[in-house]
Amino acid sequence: MTGLLQDFRYALRQLRKNPGFTAVAVLTLALGIGVTTAIFSVVYGVLLRPLPYPDPNRIMAVFEVTSKGRPSRVADPNFDDFRDQSRSFQAIAKYTDNVASVSGASQPTRTTVAGVSPDFLKVFGIQPILGRDFSASDAKKGAGPTVLVSYGYWRQYLGSPRDLSQSHLKIDGAIFSVIGVLPAGFHFPADVDLWLPADLEGENPSRTSHNYNAVGRLRDGVTVEQANQDISAIARRIHDTSSEQGDYLLKDGIVVPLQESITGNARSPLLVLLGAVGFLLLVACANVANLLLAQVSVRERELAIRSALGAARGRLIRQFLTEAFLLSLVGGGLGVLGALGAVAGLVVLAPASLPRLDSVSISVSVLVFAFLLATAIAAGLGAFTAARATSGDLREGLVEGGRGQAGSQGSQRVGRVIVAAQIAITLVLVVGAGLFGRSLMKVLEVDPGFRVDKIVTMDVSLPWVDDPKAKAGQAIFFSSLIDRIKQIPGVRKVGATSGLPMDGGLPDGMFLLVTQNEIPKTTDSLGALFQQRERLGNADFCVATDGYFQVLGIPLIRGRIFDERDGANSPHVAVISESLAHDRWPGQDPIGHTIEFGNMDGDLRLLTIVGIVGDTHEYGLDVPPRPTVYVNLFQRPRPAITLTMLSDADTRLLASAARGILQDLNPEIPARFRTFSQVYSASLGSRRFNVILIGFFGITALLLATIGVFGVMAYSVSRRTREIGVRVALGAASGDVLRMILGQGLRTIFIGVALGIAGSLALTRTVESLLFGVTATDPLTFGGVTLLLVGAALLACYIPARRATKVDPMVALRYE
């Protein structure tokens, strides 16, 4: 310990003696470690941190598998078979969630509500902290409505009562008794605050109506593979024996860990970011390694004296390791402090679609990672520096006139190798940033099929009803709301839709081509028609008004959109998208054809196609438009709609006026307001997040690499002062000296560029699935990045080379 303390004291003196070197090395390490720690905190919080439930690795997500091999939600009868026949789960439950208008608490709210089966909480291994869980009788059809509430909702809107017997909530027009409060922090599915029994209205008997997600907790001793085989066997039996056939009947079943199912889509982008920041860290460490090499050359005589006085090689190595550890420890500490702010910024910058953002923080695990990272860097830098410092015969440094030229030349060669590696890594990073940037630009060039600016949206949810008269009443309510909002000053157009583009997508289903003369008299006859595949078509289902197309500027291609002729008692009509017209009626005019699409809303009346409108990108600019059938809100009302308002008025004033009108019509119905620009921008959030971060890493690496080239060249020139002076004294011109120094730098640069291009070609293919409109080997990106990097490196070489041409031979020789 005494020797270790001596090493630390000596290391501190060395660092204080060279404040410039110390500041640059510490800040460089702080940058590398801080950014890496911040990104790792996101990766850990989203991908690695265990779910906050008892034994979370045993909680599984259960999916059906479609005929196309894709996971899908489960149908009620299929879930019942999974639950009753599987022997792999100690508890299995289904759930779904939606936004509902809730009143009866301190104020009306738009709240995310989940419908769950009785064993839902058993799957997660939790119990209410107040009250009780659902019983089997609570979930039976016709049972008294009961609800479980989140801890936050209980405190904020119910006033934290200990006695729940007087707590009731009005949800979708029904009064629910609050029977329990769940633990703080439990929100599954995400953002849910209320949980209701799932089957109060009875189950849907269809095996092709995929309305629920499913989760289960494995029995002790059962593996994921065994559960997969179990569910798969049940699913295949259902497929082989079911009377319902077609593309919407399950083909198989699959079980995956719940955490994997939640984070699956985020895994690839986050791992790419972690890899990118790892490259940035390597560039930063390379810079510090070159600084340490320069320091070693300066200390060659000191090391020779210590060796001559009896210091063993191991003692000197320990000293260098101590100095490197001290540098890394200080740099790591500053990096962690910077990471605290960086994580807050990352959470703000991250797209809303990134799951588990509430788990992202500088936790104990992240701090341990940062310490281990700093220790690993210290060990690497210390070992590398010690190996260079103690190679060869240290006592040669004491020879008269010997200034360690051989050693310094070796250090210069190693420095150039490090710089070449820096350039190669930087090229990979900047190429990646360029590809993501080009990809984002390609996405922005796509015509979305609608306008974005000057549109304010208003989400409204009425209670779910099945009675035709109640549905007609909701249609009248929405008609009155739209008419009154049209009177607000500055409002030009008002429309409504069941689903905004780029805001979660639309439900899809199978429709049937049928003529008025073929209307089946029984459901069995209708089922027989569905067996005729030539009559079938697939499309998204959207409820809208004529004003929706006008507000969003969706063009009419042929025919007409909805108008006053399409009343509630008139023949039902539909407008279809251009892609559906091309796909289902190639070379034909679909106007006048009739289809049956009642499986989407329960209304079996035929729809007559009266118009064709332009395609819209519902799921994002990088996803092709989907075939869509639009039906009239006033003929096929839906309880949850989004009003769209085209207006030149101030957004806040418009929202205030529209909210007042809604409260006047029904004070129990709250609304949510957004601009359509916000919805559109959120759809680009994931790509923007990747571009900003990888762009930042690339620019930072470029600056560090440029500084590294400059440092190595400047150090080389300073060590060759005598040689340059001799050359000039013997007649070398300034141009000769300039070409000599630049030639040395260019060799290093071109080696690094060649390695970087090869590495980029190999590594960028791993991000090919994240690109849009550009290939992983895009020549424009590779060419532009190569020119940028070579230009920056040449500039870094030119400044020291230019200084070399100014060497006075008399001063240089006298200096030696």
Side-chain angles (χ1 to χ4, degrees):
M1 288 300 297
T2 301
L4 187 61
L5 289 174
Q6 288 176 349
D7 288 340
F8 266 105
R9 283 196 293 269
Y10 188 76
L12 283 172
R13 288 200 299 272
Q14 285 293 326
L15 296 180
R16 281 201 303 266
K17 190 168 68 174
N18 301 283
F21 156 78
T22 302
V24 173
V26 166
L27 291 177
T28 302
L29 289 175
L31 174 66
I33 295 174
V35 175
T36 305
T37 301
I39 294 297
F40 177 79
S41 71
V42 176
V43 172
Y44 178 79
V46 175
L47 299 182
L48 303 178
R49 191 171 195 166
L51 295 174
Y53 315 119
D55 204 5
N57 292 332
R58 305 197 66 76
I59 304 177
M60 301 291 123
V62 182
F63 296 100
E64 296 181 11
V65 177
T66 69
S67 58
K68 297 180 180 178
R70 298 172 184 166
S72 79
R73 304 209 297 176
V74 300
D76 280 334
N78 299 339
F79 169 79
D80 292 342
D81 287 345
F82 290 160
R83 179 194 61 205
D84 298 337
Q85 298 176 29
S86 172
R87 297 295 176 262
S88 300
F89 297 97
Q90 66 183 53
I92 186 170
K94 64 183 180 181
Y95 67 92
T96 188
D97 63 285
N98 64 285
V99 175
S101 296
V102 180
S103 58
S106 60
Q107 65 185 63
T109 60
R110 281 178 54 83
T111 303
T112 305
V113 177
V116 303
S117 58
D119 284 343
F120 181 75
L121 294 185
K122 293 180 182 177
V123 171
F124 294 94
I126 67 166
Q127 288 293 324
I129 60 171
L130 189 65
R132 65 176 179 86
D133 189 4
F134 293 126
S135 64
S137 60
D138 290 323
K140 291 183 178 178
K141 183 177 181 179
T146 54
V147 59
L148 296 170
V149 303
S150 70
Y151 181 82
Y153 193 93
W154 173 68
R155 292 196 53 147
Q156 184 174 357
Y157 296 107
L158 296 181
S160 309
R162 305 297 301 179
D163 180 8
L164 299 177
S165 61
Q166 302 303 312
S167 298
H168 303 281
L169 296 173
K170 187 175 183 181
I171 307 170
D172 276 346
I175 304 299
F176 286 75
S177 299
V178 178
I179 62 169
V181 179
L182 298 190
F186 180 80
H187 292 282
F188 187 90
D191 302 323
V192 167
D193 279 313
L194 304 176
W195 291 263
L196 320 175
D199 297 320
L200 291 179
E201 301 298 325
E203 290 191 348
N204 186 327
S206 172
R207 290 190 183 272
T208 59
S209 295
H210 309 285
N211 298 318
Y212 287 92
N213 293 293
V215 288
R217 177 176 285 273
L218 295 178
R219 294 182 185 275
D220 292 339
V222 176
T223 65
V224 179
E225 292 75 17
Q226 291 171 332
N228 248 318
Q229 294 170 4
D230 188 12
I231 291 295
S232 178
I234 297 170
R236 289 196 299 269
R237 283 199 299 271
I238 294 172
H239 177 269
D240 294 340
T241 60
S242 175
S243 59
E244 299 181 65
Q245 294 296 322
D247 293 339
Y248 285 86
L249 180 66
L250 84 171
K251 186 77 171 179
D252 204 339
I254 189 172
V255 172
V256 297
L258 180 61
Q259 184 162 351
E260 182 180 324
S261 74
I262 293 173
T263 62
N265 292 334
R267 181 173 299 274
S268 291
L270 287 181
L271 292 180
V272 166
L273 287 177
L274 188 61
V277 79
F279 280 167
L280 175 60
L281 180 63
L282 287 176
V283 173
C285 290
N287 256 22
V288 176
N290 265 330
L291 289 173
L292 289 172
L293 278 179
Q295 287 296 106
V296 165
S297 295
V298 172
R299 295 172 61 184
E300 284 175 349
R301 190 170 183 82
E302 169 212 328
L303 296 174
I305 293 174
R306 295 184 68 181
S307 178
L309 292 175
R313 192 177 299 270
R315 185 70 178 77
L316 297 177
I317 290 174
R318 193 177 74 187
Q319 179 63 51
F320 280 105
L321 288 172
T322 303
E323 292 176 13
F325 180 75
L326 194 57
L327 272 178
S328 296
L329 194 64
V330 176
L334 291 176
V336 169
L337 291 177
L340 291 171
V343 166
L346 287 173
V347 171
V348 172
L349 185 63
S353 59
L354 190 65
R356 304 192 68 198
L357 270 179
D358 56 336
S359 298
V360 176
S361 64
I362 302 294
S363 61
V364 173
S365 298
V366 174
L367 290 176
V368 170
F369 167 81
F371 176 76
L372 293 177
L373 180 64
T375 303
I377 290 172
L381 290 176
F384 169 75
T385 309
R388 291 303 310 165
T390 60
S391 62
D393 187 353
L394 295 176
R395 303 184 188 187
E396 289 182 1
L398 295 176
V399 176
E400 181 65 29
R403 296 182 54 87
Q405 290 295 321
S408 64
Q409 288 173 9
S411 295
Q412 290 175 42
R413 284 193 295 271
V414 173
R416 289 195 289 272
V417 169
I418 292 174
V419 166
Q422 274 186 299
I423 291 173
I425 295 171
T426 300
L427 185 67
V428 173
L429 265 182
V430 181
V431 163
L435 288 174
F436 278 109
R438 287 258 295 150
S439 185
L440 178 61
M441 295 303 296
K442 289 289 185 182
V443 169
L444 294 175
E445 290 173 4
V446 174
D447 179 9
F450 48 80
R451 67 177 298 161
V452 175
D453 60 314
K454 299 183 178 180
I455 298 175
V456 178
T457 69
M458 174 183 177
D459 298 323
V460 179
S461 296
L462 298 181
W464 181 270
V465 293
D466 290 319
D467 180 64
K469 290 184 179 180
K471 286 186 176 181
Q474 290 185 342
I476 294 172
F477 175 86
F478 285 131
S479 178
S480 300
L481 178 62
I482 290 172
D483 288 341
R484 291 186 60 177
I485 289 177
K486 285 180 179 178
Q487 307 306 315
I488 297 175
V491 173
R492 289 189 275 162
K493 298 285 183 181
V494 180
T497 178
S498 60
L500 278 175
M502 302 185 177
D503 193 31
L506 297 167
D508 69 315
M510 185 180 297
F511 63 84
L512 177 69
L513 274 69
V514 69
T515 66
Q516 294 288 349
N517 298 327
E518 297 173 323
I519 298 177
K521 296 181 179 179
T522 65
T523 54
D524 291 338
S525 300
L526 184 64
L529 290 177
F530 270 99
Q531 302 303 315
Q532 304 177 33
R533 300 189 67 85
E534 68 276 6
R535 291 178 176 268
L536 302 180
N538 286 21
D540 287 352
F541 183 82
C542 181
V543 180
T545 66
D546 59 327
Y548 168 72
F549 301 101
Q550 296 165 357
V551 170
L552 266 66
I554 300 173
L556 177 66
I557 306 299
R558 193 158 66 254
R560 68 176 178 89
I561 54 176
F562 312 127
D563 58 28
E564 64 279 354
R565 289 172 284 180
D566 306 317
N569 299 317
S570 304
H572 286 202
V573 297
V575 173
I576 65 173
S577 65
E578 189 175 15
S579 60
L580 179 57
H582 289 160
D583 294 346
R584 193 61 192 79
W585 290 275
Q588 304 177 50
D589 185 358
I591 293 178
H593 286 249
T594 51
I595 63 173
E596 194 280 319
F597 212 174
N599 60 324
M600 301 305 298
D601 61 357
D603 194 328
L604 299 180
R605 283 174 285 186
L606 297 190
L607 295 163
T608 301
I609 299 172
V610 297
I612 303 171
V613 296
D615 287 324
T616 61
H617 289 261
E618 291 283 341
Y619 294 85
L621 296 177
D622 51 354
V623 179
R626 290 173 55 90
T628 306
V629 172
Y630 299 92
V631 298
N632 192 342
L633 173 67
F634 304 124
Q635 293 183 331
R636 302 281 185 104
R638 300 279 285 188
I641 67 163
T642 298
L643 269 69
T644 54
M645 298 167 277
L646 180 62
S647 173
D648 297 318
D650 179 77
T651 299
R652 286 175 296 179
L653 295 177
L654 174 58
S656 177
R659 182 179 284 108
I661 292 172
L662 177 63
Q663 294 302 301
D664 187 40
L665 291 173
N666 189 333
E668 293 186 346
I669 304 297
R672 177 177 66 156
F673 291 88
R674 295 172 293 171
T675 66
F676 194 37
S677 297
Q678 291 171 330
V679 177
Y680 178 81
S681 179
S683 72
L684 299 171
S686 181
R687 290 192 178 276
R688 188 182 296 112
F689 185 64
N690 292 339
V691 169
I692 291 174
L693 289 186
I694 295 184
F696 170 76
F697 300 156
I699 291 171
T700 305
L702 180 61
L703 291 174
L704 289 176
T706 303
I707 293 169
V709 172
F710 174 82
V712 166
M713 295 304 298
Y715 173 69
S716 175
V717 168
S718 69
R719 300 297 292 181
R720 298 175 66 181
T721 301
R722 181 173 181 274
E723 173 198 338
I724 293 171
V726 171
R727 288 178 180 271
V728 173
L730 294 175
S734 297
D736 298 325
V737 175
L738 186 65
R739 282 190 294 274
M740 179 186 70
I741 302 298
L742 283 179
Q744 180 189 80
L746 281 173
R747 284 193 295 273
T748 303
I749 292 168
F750 287 138
I751 291 172
V753 167
L755 293 173
I757 291 175
S760 297
L761 290 172
L763 292 175
T764 51
R765 295 189 183 279
T766 62
V767 301
E768 197 161 14
S769 62
L770 303 177
L771 303 178
F772 176 82
V774 295
T775 65
T777 56
D778 179 51
L780 183 60
T781 302
F782 272 76
V785 168
T786 300
L787 288 176
L788 173 65
L789 190 56
V790 169
L794 276 176
L795 179 62
C797 286
Y798 178 78
I799 297 173
R802 181 70 177 169
R803 185 180 303 160
T805 64
K806 306 297 184 182
V807 170
D808 185 336
M810 295 302 295
V811 174
L813 294 175
R814 187 181 304 117
Y815 172 75
E816 290 294 328

PDB file of all heavy atoms in Angstrom, residues 47 59 82 99 107 138 148 268 275 284 320 347 402 449 524 532 540 587 644 705 802:
ATOM      1  N   LEU A  47     -33.685  -2.403 -22.811  1.00  0.00           N
ATOM      2  CA  LEU A  47     -33.488  -3.788 -23.247  1.00  0.00           C
ATOM      3  C   LEU A  47     -33.083  -4.741 -22.131  1.00  0.00           C
ATOM      4  O   LEU A  47     -33.472  -5.915 -22.149  1.00  0.00           O
ATOM      5  CB  LEU A  47     -32.423  -3.845 -24.344  1.00  0.00           C
ATOM      6  CG  LEU A  47     -32.700  -3.071 -25.640  1.00  0.00           C
ATOM      7  CD1 LEU A  47     -31.551  -3.280 -26.617  1.00  0.00           C
ATOM      8  CD2 LEU A  47     -34.018  -3.498 -26.253  1.00  0.00           C
ATOM      9  N   ILE A  59     -42.429 -14.622 -17.261  1.00  0.00           N
ATOM     10  CA  ILE A  59     -43.634 -14.033 -17.844  1.00  0.00           C
ATOM     11  C   ILE A  59     -43.481 -14.020 -19.362  1.00  0.00           C
ATOM     12  O   ILE A  59     -42.515 -13.466 -19.890  1.00  0.00           O
ATOM     13  CB  ILE A  59     -43.884 -12.617 -17.306  1.00  0.00           C
ATOM     14  CG1 ILE A  59     -43.958 -12.626 -15.781  1.00  0.00           C
ATOM     15  CG2 ILE A  59     -45.173 -12.049 -17.883  1.00  0.00           C
ATOM     16  CD1 ILE A  59     -44.135 -11.261 -15.158  1.00  0.00           C
ATOM     17  N   PHE A  82     -56.155 -22.163 -25.469  1.00  0.00           N
ATOM     18  CA  PHE A  82     -54.802 -22.046 -24.906  1.00  0.00           C
ATOM     19  C   PHE A  82     -54.850 -22.181 -23.376  1.00  0.00           C
ATOM     20  O   PHE A  82     -54.046 -22.899 -22.771  1.00  0.00           O
ATOM     21  CB  PHE A  82     -54.173 -20.704 -25.275  1.00  0.00           C
ATOM     22  CG  PHE A  82     -53.812 -20.554 -26.728  1.00  0.00           C
ATOM     23  CD1 PHE A  82     -53.629 -19.294 -27.280  1.00  0.00           C
ATOM     24  CD2 PHE A  82     -53.638 -21.662 -27.541  1.00  0.00           C
ATOM     25  CE1 PHE A  82     -53.279 -19.136 -28.608  1.00  0.00           C
ATOM     26  CE2 PHE A  82     -53.296 -21.517 -28.877  1.00  0.00           C
ATOM     27  CZ  PHE A  82     -53.120 -20.253 -29.408  1.00  0.00           C
ATOM     28  N   VAL A  99     -58.609   4.042 -25.193  1.00  0.00           N
ATOM     29  CA  VAL A  99     -58.829   5.299 -24.484  1.00  0.00           C
ATOM     30  C   VAL A  99     -60.332   5.511 -24.330  1.00  0.00           C
ATOM     31  O   VAL A  99     -61.097   5.349 -25.286  1.00  0.00           O
ATOM     32  CB  VAL A  99     -58.201   6.481 -25.245  1.00  0.00           C
ATOM     33  CG1 VAL A  99     -58.538   7.800 -24.555  1.00  0.00           C
ATOM     34  CG2 VAL A  99     -56.690   6.300 -25.331  1.00  0.00           C
ATOM     35  N   GLN A 107     -62.557  15.088 -11.808  1.00  0.00           N
ATOM     36  CA  GLN A 107     -62.795  15.753 -13.087  1.00  0.00           C
ATOM     37  C   GLN A 107     -62.843  14.705 -14.189  1.00  0.00           C
ATOM     38  O   GLN A 107     -62.261  13.640 -14.058  1.00  0.00           O
ATOM     39  CB  GLN A 107     -61.692  16.767 -13.379  1.00  0.00           C
ATOM     40  CG  GLN A 107     -60.319  16.142 -13.588  1.00  0.00           C
ATOM     41  CD  GLN A 107     -59.232  17.177 -13.753  1.00  0.00           C
ATOM     42  OE1 GLN A 107     -58.960  17.956 -12.850  1.00  0.00           O
ATOM     43  NE2 GLN A 107     -58.606  17.181 -14.924  1.00  0.00           N
ATOM     44  N   ASP A 138     -66.770 -11.736 -11.181  1.00  0.00           N
ATOM     45  CA  ASP A 138     -66.720 -10.371 -11.720  1.00  0.00           C
ATOM     46  C   ASP A 138     -66.634 -10.361 -13.242  1.00  0.00           C
ATOM     47  O   ASP A 138     -66.981  -9.370 -13.882  1.00  0.00           O
ATOM     48  CB  ASP A 138     -65.501  -9.626 -11.158  1.00  0.00           C
ATOM     49  CG  ASP A 138     -65.645  -9.301  -9.686  1.00  0.00           C
ATOM     50  OD1 ASP A 138     -66.762  -8.975  -9.265  1.00  0.00           O
ATOM     51  OD2 ASP A 138     -64.640  -9.390  -8.960  1.00  0.00           O
ATOM     52  N   LEU A 148     -60.433  -1.874 -11.255  1.00  0.00           N
ATOM     53  CA  LEU A 148     -59.229  -1.656 -10.468  1.00  0.00           C
ATOM     54  C   LEU A 148     -58.576  -0.376 -10.971  1.00  0.00           C
ATOM     55  O   LEU A 148     -58.583  -0.096 -12.178  1.00  0.00           O
ATOM     56  CB  LEU A 148     -58.247  -2.821 -10.633  1.00  0.00           C
ATOM     57  CG  LEU A 148     -58.705  -4.182 -10.122  1.00  0.00           C
ATOM     58  CD1 LEU A 148     -57.739  -5.267 -10.584  1.00  0.00           C
ATOM     59  CD2 LEU A 148     -58.809  -4.175  -8.609  1.00  0.00           C
ATOM     60  N   SER A 268     -32.829  -3.427 -32.476  1.00  0.00           N
ATOM     61  CA  SER A 268     -31.830  -3.164 -33.520  1.00  0.00           C
ATOM     62  C   SER A 268     -31.345  -1.713 -33.511  1.00  0.00           C
ATOM     63  O   SER A 268     -30.126  -1.468 -33.515  1.00  0.00           O
ATOM     64  CB  SER A 268     -32.405  -3.526 -34.895  1.00  0.00           C
ATOM     65  OG  SER A 268     -32.571  -4.924 -34.999  1.00  0.00           O
ATOM     66  N   GLY A 275     -23.250   0.437 -30.637  1.00  0.00           N
ATOM     67  CA  GLY A 275     -22.054   0.174 -31.434  1.00  0.00           C
ATOM     68  C   GLY A 275     -21.398   1.447 -31.918  1.00  0.00           C
ATOM     69  O   GLY A 275     -20.159   1.587 -31.899  1.00  0.00           O
ATOM     70  N   ALA A 284     -11.745   8.336 -29.082  1.00  0.00           N
ATOM     71  CA  ALA A 284     -11.300   9.154 -27.954  1.00  0.00           C
ATOM     72  C   ALA A 284     -10.100   8.503 -27.253  1.00  0.00           C
ATOM     73  O   ALA A 284      -9.115   9.187 -26.916  1.00  0.00           O
ATOM     74  CB  ALA A 284     -12.453   9.339 -26.961  1.00  0.00           C
ATOM     75  N   PHE A 320       2.998   3.569 -14.653  1.00  0.00           N
ATOM     76  CA  PHE A 320       2.197   3.993 -15.806  1.00  0.00           C
ATOM     77  C   PHE A 320       0.735   3.558 -15.656  1.00  0.00           C
ATOM     78  O   PHE A 320      -0.187   4.294 -16.042  1.00  0.00           O
ATOM     79  CB  PHE A 320       2.798   3.434 -17.101  1.00  0.00           C
ATOM     80  CG  PHE A 320       3.964   4.238 -17.596  1.00  0.00           C
ATOM     81  CD1 PHE A 320       5.261   3.771 -17.467  1.00  0.00           C
ATOM     82  CD2 PHE A 320       3.766   5.481 -18.182  1.00  0.00           C
ATOM     83  CE1 PHE A 320       6.327   4.513 -17.917  1.00  0.00           C
ATOM     84  CE2 PHE A 320       4.838   6.228 -18.637  1.00  0.00           C
ATOM     85  CZ  PHE A 320       6.127   5.760 -18.507  1.00  0.00           C
ATOM     86  N   VAL A 347     -33.936  11.266 -23.072  1.00  0.00           N
ATOM     87  CA  VAL A 347     -35.337  10.911 -22.811  1.00  0.00           C
ATOM     88  C   VAL A 347     -36.269  11.894 -23.504  1.00  0.00           C
ATOM     89  O   VAL A 347     -37.310  11.502 -24.058  1.00  0.00           O
ATOM     90  CB  VAL A 347     -35.601  10.867 -21.290  1.00  0.00           C
ATOM     91  CG1 VAL A 347     -37.088  10.729 -21.000  1.00  0.00           C
ATOM     92  CG2 VAL A 347     -34.828   9.719 -20.658  1.00  0.00           C
ATOM     93  N   GLY A 402      22.406  11.360 -26.702  1.00  0.00           N
ATOM     94  CA  GLY A 402      21.269  10.498 -27.044  1.00  0.00           C
ATOM     95  C   GLY A 402      19.995  11.072 -26.501  1.00  0.00           C
ATOM     96  O   GLY A 402      19.857  11.333 -25.337  1.00  0.00           O
ATOM     97  N   GLY A 449     -49.547  12.154 -49.215  1.00  0.00           N
ATOM     98  CA  GLY A 449     -50.916  12.026 -49.708  1.00  0.00           C
ATOM     99  C   GLY A 449     -51.886  12.937 -48.993  1.00  0.00           C
ATOM    100  O   GLY A 449     -53.090  12.879 -49.238  1.00  0.00           O
ATOM    101  N   ASP A 524     -75.305 -18.223 -42.500  1.00  0.00           N
ATOM    102  CA  ASP A 524     -74.682 -19.397 -43.098  1.00  0.00           C
ATOM    103  C   ASP A 524     -74.441 -19.184 -44.582  1.00  0.00           C
ATOM    104  O   ASP A 524     -73.385 -19.560 -45.119  1.00  0.00           O
ATOM    105  CB  ASP A 524     -75.558 -20.642 -42.886  1.00  0.00           C
ATOM    106  CG  ASP A 524     -75.606 -21.068 -41.426  1.00  0.00           C
ATOM    107  OD1 ASP A 524     -74.682 -20.701 -40.678  1.00  0.00           O
ATOM    108  OD2 ASP A 524     -76.563 -21.779 -41.050  1.00  0.00           O
ATOM    109  N   GLN A 532     -65.620 -18.409 -51.325  1.00  0.00           N
ATOM    110  CA  GLN A 532     -65.268 -18.154 -52.726  1.00  0.00           C
ATOM    111  C   GLN A 532     -64.180 -17.075 -52.759  1.00  0.00           C
ATOM    112  O   GLN A 532     -64.471 -15.883 -52.660  1.00  0.00           O
ATOM    113  CB  GLN A 532     -66.499 -17.714 -53.519  1.00  0.00           C
ATOM    114  CG  GLN A 532     -67.656 -18.706 -53.457  1.00  0.00           C
ATOM    115  CD  GLN A 532     -68.890 -18.208 -54.180  1.00  0.00           C
ATOM    116  OE1 GLN A 532     -68.803 -17.499 -55.202  1.00  0.00           O
ATOM    117  NE2 GLN A 532     -70.065 -18.571 -53.661  1.00  0.00           N
ATOM    118  N   ASP A 540     -57.913  -1.855 -45.119  1.00  0.00           N
ATOM    119  CA  ASP A 540     -58.117  -1.139 -43.862  1.00  0.00           C
ATOM    120  C   ASP A 540     -59.514  -0.535 -43.868  1.00  0.00           C
ATOM    121  O   ASP A 540     -60.089  -0.257 -44.923  1.00  0.00           O
ATOM    122  CB  ASP A 540     -57.087  -0.027 -43.704  1.00  0.00           C
ATOM    123  CG  ASP A 540     -55.702  -0.561 -43.393  1.00  0.00           C
ATOM    124  OD1 ASP A 540     -55.571  -1.769 -43.161  1.00  0.00           O
ATOM    125  OD2 ASP A 540     -54.739   0.238 -43.404  1.00  0.00           O
ATOM    126  N   GLY A 587     -57.974  -2.729 -64.224  1.00  0.00           N
ATOM    127  CA  GLY A 587     -58.561  -2.561 -65.550  1.00  0.00           C
ATOM    128  C   GLY A 587     -60.061  -2.372 -65.532  1.00  0.00           C
ATOM    129  O   GLY A 587     -60.697  -2.386 -66.596  1.00  0.00           O
ATOM    130  N   THR A 644     -60.889  16.963 -37.309  1.00  0.00           N
ATOM    131  CA  THR A 644     -59.789  17.681 -37.955  1.00  0.00           C
ATOM    132  C   THR A 644     -60.296  19.052 -38.366  1.00  0.00           C
ATOM    133  O   THR A 644     -61.341  19.169 -39.020  1.00  0.00           O
ATOM    134  CB  THR A 644     -59.294  16.909 -39.190  1.00  0.00           C
ATOM    135  OG1 THR A 644     -60.397  16.640 -40.063  1.00  0.00           O
ATOM    136  CG2 THR A 644     -58.669  15.586 -38.783  1.00  0.00           C
ATOM    137  N   ALA A 705     -10.517  12.823 -34.556  1.00  0.00           N
ATOM    138  CA  ALA A 705      -9.545  12.270 -35.499  1.00  0.00           C
ATOM    139  C   ALA A 705      -8.692  13.374 -36.107  1.00  0.00           C
ATOM    140  O   ALA A 705      -7.475  13.215 -36.296  1.00  0.00           O
ATOM    141  CB  ALA A 705     -10.265  11.496 -36.596  1.00  0.00           C
ATOM    142  N   ARG A 802       3.431  23.219 -42.726  1.00  0.00           N
ATOM    143  CA  ARG A 802       3.750  24.618 -43.030  1.00  0.00           C
ATOM    144  C   ARG A 802       4.705  25.186 -41.993  1.00  0.00           C
ATOM    145  O   ARG A 802       5.636  25.936 -42.314  1.00  0.00           O
ATOM    146  CB  ARG A 802       2.441  25.425 -43.042  1.00  0.00           C
ATOM    147  CG  ARG A 802       2.615  26.888 -43.375  1.00  0.00           C
ATOM    148  CD  ARG A 802       3.001  27.083 -44.815  1.00  0.00           C
ATOM    149  NE  ARG A 802       3.098  28.494 -45.156  1.00  0.00           N
ATOM    150  CZ  ARG A 802       3.615  28.953 -46.274  1.00  0.00           C
ATOM    151  NH1 ARG A 802       4.096  28.097 -47.186  1.00  0.00           N
ATOM    152  NH2 ARG A 802       3.667  30.237 -46.527  1.00  0.00           N
TER     153      ARG A 802
END
